[in-house]
Amino acid sequence: MKRVAILLFILIMMMGTSMNAAGVQVISSEKVNQTIEALKQKFGTSHAFRVERGVKKTALLWQQADGTPDEFMTFCETHFIADEAALEKFFNSFSRSMEIILGGYNRMTLQLREPLDLDRGEYNEVDELFGGYNASAHLFDDMYANKLAFRVTLNFPEYSLSEKNTLGKQWSRRDWAYARLGDMFKARVPAALNLDYSAALNEAEMYIASYNIMMGQLRENGKALFPADMKLLSHWNLRDEIKADYADKKNGLAKQRMIAQVMQRIVEQTIPTEVINQGKYEWNPFTNALSEHGKRIADHAEGDRRYQRIIDIFREQKKQDKYYSSDRDTYIKRNFNGDMEVSVEEAEQLFVQFVSSPEIKRVATEISKRLGRKLEPFDIWYDGFKSRSSLDQDKLSEMTRKRFPTAAAFEQQMPEILSRLGFTPEKAQYLSERIEVDPSRGSGHAAGALMKGDKAHLRTRVPATGMDYKGFNIAMHEFGHNVEQTLSLYNVDYYTLAGVPNTAFTEALAFAFQIRDLNELGIDTQDKEARKLEVLDNCWQLYEIMGVSLVDIRVWKWLYAHPDATAADLKIAVLDIAKEVWNSYYAPVMGKNDQLLLGVYSHMIAYPLYLSAYSFGHLIHFQIEKQLKGKVMGAEVERMFTLGRLTPDQWMQQATGSSISIQPILEAVDEVLK
């Protein structure tokens, strides 16, 4: 997945109009109107729109410490920029300075976190403290104090999402860049709260990064099903092993059932602490019995640690709610209305429509036929529509270990990979020079640069024996992120437009790279059923991830309805929500009620409400793949991912000619299953 750097994450979270700390506007409406009239008389009515929006927005953010009402009026009269050339000069200077500042903080954050994120031996308490430190926490406090922030709010209007989608159709690139600068300063969250939130996120990330299961120690009736040295991170590697086991005709089904039971134990927190990141004892996940050399020993259930991480993050976010106006006064609204620019109501409705669609049962029937059995709950991760599902994973790992014995080996071959994906040799070299590959402690992530001259970082697991196939598959996914991060920084014309509309768009390109992993290994996947399989695979992946996203959303809704809940309370709620979503949309298709698998995703712990980005990412990916048909992939990717941070709808219209929708994939399913 894409790691949203703490600095950038906080910047995004600040997108919500705010009053002062007490929620009271200190500049009266009379003074606001008086200031507006004074500026209109001074600069003329041709600037009325900018004057009205700029003065009102600045007044909302102005605090007593910033000056008296008369000083507010003087500031507005002095610093409103009516001349277009002067406005552009201010914009260019401000953009350059912000790139230096944000890029520098981002580099600092990445380097401070290296002991935690990279597989370079043990880390200590000092490393953890610095890894959770947010050097940029006081940045916005300082910019309000020196009134640079107010110069922006006064001169660069804030537009609603509806206005951006409507007016943006006629905007120039510079107009868009100005509008995105107008999005930058929208809340005054105290630095101390930003620091506390960063620390809570860091605690959750460290908890997840060390949540390994030693698969060689799992037993059923005394039998070991997995290699003695297999270590799988929850949930990513556990899920991927379920996918890989469809190719194991002898023990695959037994292994999948065992992993599903491990997941059940993790969600309900009955998993013994002795088997988390430790390999001393043998464990039967069905009976939950722990033993050493055949002798039963006492175990200690993990309890509520998993849910305490969520509670800690929720409480830190809730402290920030009062600094935002009603459209973003909860973390849910900030994530959807602010970051994704899609309301949570729209997202939830879209997800429910898809997982309830009759096409899902038709795809499930197809899977059941291919498996020759009734579906079981873990078949939400059915991977048989991909060409790799019929291939021996051990042989694939032999290929990847030989080709990529180290992270450096993958980095050296990036230009060749990009060339085979349709990028010109020059562009392939250009992109590769701006991406660095590191061995990851966790499952893997992509960390982009925020300043030209810095590199994006690709992180994936590379054991001493070399990169196995799972690591390579993840590396290709993260490589897609890095290509987006590099193109949308280096090749976008304005810094305030750098990036993509939201994280779903970078996930879409990551998926496009990931599904081409076998082709990169020289395995031809273009058989006569390729189109059909691609459509069915997209549909089934969406079915799985949208259910997980619904659980994530409903958990956060529950938290806001029960703000004083304990971790124990939350655990019960998550179990109930996971069962409710399963029983409503999955049991009718998969069979068996009250399953907990939809609650196992680690994103729910360390990356709150990120899962919806995957759901939208799959939809966007499907539409992008349709756009790529018959075209050179490299050139088309470059065209799309240099559009910059438009709104989701505007980006999709310009990139693919259509808005985000579930209809294209459902219609495609109908077509291939006729």
Side-chain angles (χ1 to χ4, degrees), residues 173-193:
R173 296 288 296 175
R174 190 183 71 170
D175 291 335
W176 270 106
Y178 281 10
R180 283 308 188 191
L181 179 54
D183 286 337
M184 185 169 288
F185 297 100
K186 291 190 175 183
R188 295 186 72 168
V189 178
L193 297 188

Side-chain angles (χ1 to χ4, degrees), residues 333-532:
K333 293 179 183 178
R334 292 193 288 279
N335 182 77
F336 285 92
N337 296 351
D339 185 6
M340 297 190 70
E341 293 190 316
V342 176
S343 73
V344 67
E345 291 79 15
E346 289 178 88
E348 198 166 6
Q349 182 180 27
L350 190 75
F351 300 165
V352 168
Q353 286 176 347
F354 187 85
V355 298
S356 305
S357 62
E359 286 82 0
I360 297 298
K361 287 190 176 181
R362 297 176 65 193
V363 178
T365 299
E366 182 75 11
I367 295 172
S368 183
K369 288 178 182 177
R370 293 167 72 92
L371 291 174
R373 60 170 173 80
K374 292 183 178 180
L375 297 187
E376 297 195 31
F378 58 78
D379 287 320
I380 57 169
W381 291 298
Y382 175 72
D383 208 38
F385 294 130
K386 293 186 177 71
S387 300
R388 68 166 179 255
S389 63
S390 60
L391 300 175
D392 188 322
Q393 301 288 301
D394 292 334
K395 290 183 178 179
L396 290 176
S397 289
E398 286 178 18
M399 296 172 65
T400 57
R401 289 187 183 111
K402 183 177 180 180
R403 186 171 165 187
F404 308 110
T406 62
F410 187 91
E411 183 174 322
Q412 290 167 3
Q413 295 183 51
M414 288 192 301
E416 300 171 30
I417 296 173
L418 289 173
S419 294
R420 283 188 285 271
L421 288 172
F423 291 87
T424 65
E426 295 77 16
K427 183 59 69 174
Q429 188 64 38
Y430 171 88
L431 291 168
S432 299
E433 288 172 353
R434 289 160 177 77
I435 300 170
E436 188 171 313
V437 183
D438 309 308
S440 175
R441 187 183 299 277
S443 67
H445 62 264
L450 290 182
M451 175 171 60
K452 297 178 187 71
D454 280 358
K455 293 185 177 183
H457 288 263
L458 188 161
R459 275 84 185 260
T460 190
R461 278 198 171 186
V462 187
T465 54
M467 186 183 291
D468 60 20
Y469 175 68
K470 291 185 183 69
F472 172 68
N473 180 260
I474 291 172
M476 287 295 289
H477 181 94
E478 307 306 341
F479 197 14
H481 282 310
N482 291 142
V483 168
E484 173 273 305
Q485 292 162 345
T486 304
L487 286 173
S488 67
L489 172 65
Y490 281 86
N491 293 70
V492 170
D493 44 1
Y494 294 97
Y495 184 68
T496 57
L497 278 180
V500 286
N502 62 49
T503 50
F505 290 80
T506 189
E507 290 300 344
L509 188 59
F511 293 143
F513 271 59
Q514 189 172 14
I515 66 169
R516 289 164 170 81
D517 63 339
L518 290 180
N519 299 95
E520 179 53 34
L521 295 177
I523 300 171
D524 185 11
T525 60
Q526 299 303 310
D527 56 37
K528 63 181 181 180
E529 283 203 316
R531 166 64 178 165
K532 173 182 177 179

Side-chain angles (χ1 to χ4, degrees), residues 276-292:
I276 303 170
N277 216 35
Q278 302 178 63
K280 182 178 180 181
Y281 305 110
E282 297 173 353
W283 176 43
N284 184 329
F286 296 96
T287 64
N288 217 23
L290 206 62
S291 60
E292 185 177 17

Side-chain angles (χ1 to χ4, degrees), residues 135-190:
S136 67
H138 293 82
L139 171 62
F140 286 89
D141 279 2
D142 294 341
M143 296 190 79
Y144 281 113
N146 65 19
K147 295 189 171 53
L148 261 174
F150 292 128
R151 294 195 187 197
V152 172
T153 60
L154 180 63
N155 289 287
F156 295 88
E158 174 189 352
Y159 294 91
S160 68
L161 177 59
S162 175
E163 287 174 324
K164 287 171 186 168
N165 281 330
T166 303
L167 300 175
K169 294 175 183 178
Q170 284 77 44
W171 280 352
S172 67
R173 296 288 296 175
R174 190 183 71 170
D175 291 335
W176 270 106
Y178 281 10
R180 283 308 188 191
L181 179 54
D183 286 337
M184 185 169 288
F185 297 100
K186 291 190 175 183
R188 295 186 72 168
V189 178

Side-chain angles (χ1 to χ4, degrees), residues 624-642:
I624 284 177
E625 290 290 348
K626 186 176 180 180
Q627 179 69 22
L628 292 176
K629 298 294 183 185
K631 298 182 177 68
V632 177
M633 178 177 175
E636 196 64 7
V637 165
E638 188 174 352
R639 179 188 70 82
M640 289 188 282
F641 286 88
T642 54

